[in-house]
Amino acid sequence: MATSRQEQLLQRPPETVAERFFCDLFATGVGAGLAVRHTSDMGRGVFADVDFKEGDVVLQEPPLVAMQHSHNRARALVCSHCLRFIGPLELAAARLLMWQKGMREEEDKGESDEGKEAEEENREEADAAAAKAEGVIQQLSSGQLKLPFAECAGVLPSAVACPGGCTQEVFCSSTCATSAWAEGHAMLCLGHASHAKDTQALKAFYTHADESNDIFRLAAKVVASALSRAHTLLGKGGGEVGEEETEGKGEAEEEERWKLVLEAWMPFAVGHKAIWWEAVACPPDVVAGSDEEASFRACMKSMAEESLNLLAQAIGPLPLDLQPLLSLSVYGATIGMFELNNLDLVVPSPVTTYFNRILDLDDAKQAEAEGVIGPLRALLEQGGGGRGQEGGGSARGEGVKDGGENGEEGDEEKDTDGNDGDVGIGDEEEKDDDDDEEEEDCDEDDEDDKDDDLLQWHCQGTAFYSLQSSINHSCCPNAHAFKRDEDVDGRAVLLASRDIKKGEQIFIAYVEESLPLQERREALADYGFVCRCELCEAQGRH
């Protein structure tokens, strides 16, 4: 029975069931003007139910689950639920400078004697700059330095503490804090009121994720969310849920309870899944079918299994009908779902917004502001490295594309959200090419975030969206991801690239459309389909 139920969790729901789910989603206001339909050649797709003009917002969708990357937390304090930046603006700027200071101190510790001698002539200048930065940090943190025209950055909410008392997560409002707690954070909290059965195991889980692949943190959010929904549904329709086993219940009652578990899993069931260690792309130098490939995939599976064991220990015993949610196959498929459907989430920094909008002020106000913010801008533009330092390590590990060309189904049915990456204010999102290259071993991937200009740092993370993950690919798309000035949280935003008529299918590009045909095909090969859009067909004839 357990194996059968695991298989049910891995199966995609019938289209009639999926349609009811999306109708319920539309009823909440998400996806207004859109419809989800089954197509003969692409499987599920998203269609315009009204006319859209070029530049219109086609979709705004909050993430079903989202997380900020572990390596990004030191630079950006955001709400753990909606990913909105937390203020005040001065502390956001100070946080960037403190991260910069820490990186330079680490660089100095690791510098060789030869390197120190080579830089001795610049030491006095560097020390003076460091002292200046420390002074600015103190002024910003204490409130002594107030940034003029701070309203240019918009309203930044104050931090709200976690209801469970942990210090790892903060929120932008009591609404977000309460929602996160109810949606699963109660099981993943390290505070005094945590519902976790073993917080030491939970600490070990987080450490393992940060040292290997922080996508496990997002997988844990999926598990906790599904369990929380199941507890709620079973409490309403199947009796209170505790640690007791469900043996001895009648077969009809067990089936009714299982239907409620499937309903709790439904938001994630609509996303295409593949077992992570089977679907992940091999490193470029690994020959398909070789012993090296087998070793690589075994390494991925072992990493996931270790993560799951720690998570299961932290959550504690579950009733029989909930245990499939913590099985290795479902955990691996959940991570595989991120491989195929997730979005590289970026929320523009209010510090960046502030400096950009200062330039929109009249000359007199700009001159007034520059006298205060000029030194701060100079420090921020020196960036994270200053002397060639890389911007920071990634805990993503390898094999998980948490953005960029995120996933595609293994057959012609395409469920992915495509071409998304870094966005600044008013900049279109771009795919994250760094995630295409996986290394042979399971060590941490440190190649990330190399921009020296701290004014380009934003909140970076990964998210999953039920509706956007159903939008299919075209190399000549009619919609694109775009962060407008008012988009200050983790919602996915799509704008119409041209006029879209009612009844047209919505398409986005999973890869860069300007690439040559062969390069696009190679990039799309990982998604398991051959694009036959108008552009590909036309170029293929020449």
Side-chain angles (χ1 to χ4, degrees), residues 226-269:
L227 287 173
S228 295
R229 285 171 54 85
H231 277 257
T232 299
L233 292 171
L234 290 169
K236 290 178 179 178
E240 291 298 326
V241 181
E243 295 178 8
E244 75 279 357
E245 302 292 342
T246 56
E247 292 178 348
K249 295 184 181 294
E251 183 175 340
E253 184 178 354
E254 285 189 21
E255 286 304 313
E256 287 303 312
R257 288 172 61 85
W258 179 244
K259 288 180 181 179
L260 294 174
V261 175
L262 290 177
E263 183 179 344
W265 179 247
M266 179 56 64
F268 306 105

Side-chain angles (χ1 to χ4, degrees), residues 498-509:
R498 58 169 175 78
D499 290 352
I500 302 173
K501 295 294 185 182
K502 179 180 179 179
E504 281 191 66
Q505 186 174 174
I506 305 298
F507 290 104
I508 56 176

Side-chain angles (χ1 to χ4, degrees), residues 362-380:
D362 61 45
D363 291 344
K365 290 181 177 178
Q366 283 192 47
E368 178 185 346
E370 189 62 27
V372 178
I373 67 174
L376 175 59
R377 179 192 285 113
L379 289 170
L380 291 170

Side-chain angles (χ1 to χ4, degrees), residues 225-451:
S225 176
L227 287 173
S228 295
R229 285 171 54 85
H231 277 257
T232 299
L233 292 171
L234 290 169
K236 290 178 179 178
E240 291 298 326
V241 181
E243 295 178 8
E244 75 279 357
E245 302 292 342
T246 56
E247 292 178 348
K249 295 184 181 294
E251 183 175 340
E253 184 178 354
E254 285 189 21
E255 286 304 313
E256 287 303 312
R257 288 172 61 85
W258 179 244
K259 288 180 181 179
L260 294 174
V261 175
L262 290 177
E263 183 179 344
W265 179 247
M266 179 56 64
F268 306 105
V270 296
H272 176 66
K273 298 173 186 64
I275 304 299
W276 178 50
W277 49 87
E278 297 175 359
V280 64
C282 285
D285 59 342
V286 173
V287 178
S290 66
D291 290 342
E292 285 183 302
E293 180 187 0
S295 176
F296 169 78
R297 299 197 182 283
C299 180
M300 297 292 102
K301 181 177 181 179
S302 176
M303 191 194 309
E305 189 168 17
E306 183 178 355
S307 172
L308 177 62
N309 288 340
L310 291 170
L311 180 61
Q313 183 180 343
I315 290 175
L318 293 172
L320 281 175
D321 46 15
L322 295 183
Q323 289 176 13
L325 292 170
L326 271 177
S327 62
L328 182 58
S329 59
V330 171
Y331 194 64
T334 298
I335 304 169
M337 179 177 69
F338 302 141
E339 176 81 9
L340 299 176
N341 298 282
N342 74 320
L343 175 71
D344 192 26
L345 180 153
V346 178
V347 181
S349 167
V351 179
T352 303
T353 302
Y354 173 73
F355 279 100
N356 285 342
R357 290 182 178 172
I358 285 293
L359 299 178
D360 294 333
L361 299 177
D362 61 45
D363 291 344
K365 290 181 177 178
Q366 283 192 47
E368 178 185 346
E370 189 62 27
V372 178
I373 67 174
L376 175 59
R377 179 192 285 113
L379 289 170
L380 291 170
E381 288 177 344
Q382 288 176 12
R387 294 173 296 220
Q389 172 70 38
E390 292 184 4
S394 168
R396 278 179 276 180
E398 50 285 341
V400 172
K401 304 173 188 171
D402 55 335
E405 340 158 82
N406 290 328
E408 187 38 67
E409 295 193 11
D411 52 25
E412 291 184 355
E413 187 172 345
K414 300 182 283 295
D415 269 5
T416 180
D417 37 7
N419 64 320
D420 305 302
D422 292 355
V423 249
I425 297 295
D427 294 330
E428 185 170 357
E429 299 186 15
E430 300 174 352
K431 70 188 187 73
D432 183 353
D433 291 322
D434 290 342
D435 292 330
D436 287 342
E437 299 184 15
E438 293 89 9
E439 297 185 20
E440 182 174 353
D441 58 23
C442 295
D443 294 334
E444 181 178 337
D445 178 8
D446 289 327
E447 295 299 319
D448 193 28
D449 299 339
K450 294 185 178 181
D451 196 329

Side-chain angles (χ1 to χ4, degrees), residues 183-215:
E183 293 169 12
H185 180 59
M187 297 182 194
L188 304 176
C189 176
L190 291 172
H192 61 82
S194 174
H195 291 184
K197 300 301 181 183
D198 187 341
T199 54
Q200 291 304 312
L202 187 57
K203 287 181 181 179
F205 167 82
Y206 286 137
T207 299
H208 175 267
D210 292 343
E211 292 178 350
S212 59
N213 193 319
D214 71 351
I215 204 69

